[in-house]
């Protein structure tokens, strides 16, 4: 008797909606989607959203999280030509120099080697969100949604694309 592997779940954290996409089966993939309203600054609403998704989709073998631009600090910065890890260290030393935040706030920074585009999230908020998501399964990765989209398009063989987002309602 073969055991059935737990599915993989991708979570997109948006300003007012948590969207989960579950992928199961091999070689015939099956995709299921579950949405739940949430408020990033309300732990009770976050717990309710996670429980709604857990009930709808069940447990996962691993969870990947994409954080929407509306929940991130984004900036193009000019730094010396050093590897991404060193850029993250530079940005983490004095985050208030690069981002409009209060002194003393810790940021989690994502940067790439090939351009000066930097995404950051407040460490306190990101930790709360990922901790709340743990009942769904082990968190494998957390990344900015544009980076996740770029990686997925690249994996699908799309190397040149433009993405247009209509977020007028989000401000």
């Amino acid at each position: 008797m073969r055991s059935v592997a737990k599915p993989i779940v991708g979570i997109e954290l948006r300003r007012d909606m948590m969207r989960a996409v579950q992928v199961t089966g091999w070689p015939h993939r099956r995709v299921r989607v579950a949405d739940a309203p949430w408020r990033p600054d309300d732990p009770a609403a976050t717990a309710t959203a996670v429980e709604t998704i857990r009930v709808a989709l069940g447990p996962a073998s691993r969870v990947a999280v994409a954080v929407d631009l509306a929940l991130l600090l984004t900036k193009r910065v000019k730094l010396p030509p050093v590897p991404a890890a060193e850029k993250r260290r530079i940005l983490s030393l004095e985050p208030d120099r690069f981002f409009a935040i209060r002194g003393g706030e810790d940021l989690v920074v994502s940067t790439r080697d090939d351009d000066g585009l930097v995404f950051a999230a407040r460490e306190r908020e990101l930790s709360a969100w990922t901790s709340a998501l743990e009942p769904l399964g082990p968190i494998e990765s957390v990344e900015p949604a544009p980076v996740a989209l770029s990686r997925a398009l690249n994996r699908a063989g799309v190397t040149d694309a433009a993405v247009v987002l209509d977020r007028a309602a989000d401000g």
Side-chain angles (χ1 to χ4, degrees):
M1 181 175 184
R2 286 183 5 183
S3 66
V4 178
K6 288 182 187 175
I8 300 165
V9 172
I11 301 285
E12 180 187 16
L13 299 178
R14 300 174 81 180
R15 177 178 289 167
D16 60 354
M17 184 70 61
M18 190 179 290
R19 169 165 284 168
V21 178
Q22 178 191 70
V23 180
T24 58
W26 178 259
H28 306 290
R29 287 193 167 174
R30 189 173 125 201
V31 177
R32 294 172 44 198
V33 177
D35 291 332
W38 81 306
R39 291 188 310 277
D41 58 346
D42 182 350
T46 301
T48 300
V50 170
E51 181 61 14
T52 299
I53 289 170
R54 191 191 64 72
V55 168
L57 301 179
S61 62
R62 60 185 195 255
V63 176
V65 181
V67 182
D68 191 63
L69 279 174
L71 301 174
L72 296 170
L73 302 167
T74 307
K75 185 156 188 170
R76 186 168 301 276
V77 297
K78 187 103 171 144
L79 293 173
V82 295
E86 182 63 16
K87 287 180 183 178
R88 283 191 301 274
R89 191 186 72 71
I90 292 168
L91 293 162
S92 296
L93 284 175
E94 293 182 276
D96 52 337
R97 178 176 166 205
F98 300 99
F99 297 98
I101 62 168
R102 294 182 195 130
E105 280 189 280
D106 290 331
L107 296 180
V108 177
V109 178
S110 174
T111 184
R112 302 182 311 178
D113 285 328
D114 58 347
D115 61 23
L117 192 58
V118 177
F119 301 102
R122 288 174 173 84
E123 192 276 332
R124 176 182 36 82
E125 293 173 349
L126 191 61
S127 291
W129 301 337
T130 55
S131 294
L133 291 168
E134 286 176 349
L136 300 174
I139 307 295
E140 179 178 82
S141 66
V142 179
E143 57 190 353
V147 174
L149 177 60
S150 174
R151 185 179 37 73
L153 289 172
N154 191 20
R155 200 176 276 168
V158 178
T159 57
D160 189 17
V163 177
V164 178
L165 302 173
D166 179 9
R167 292 283 176 83
D170 289 339

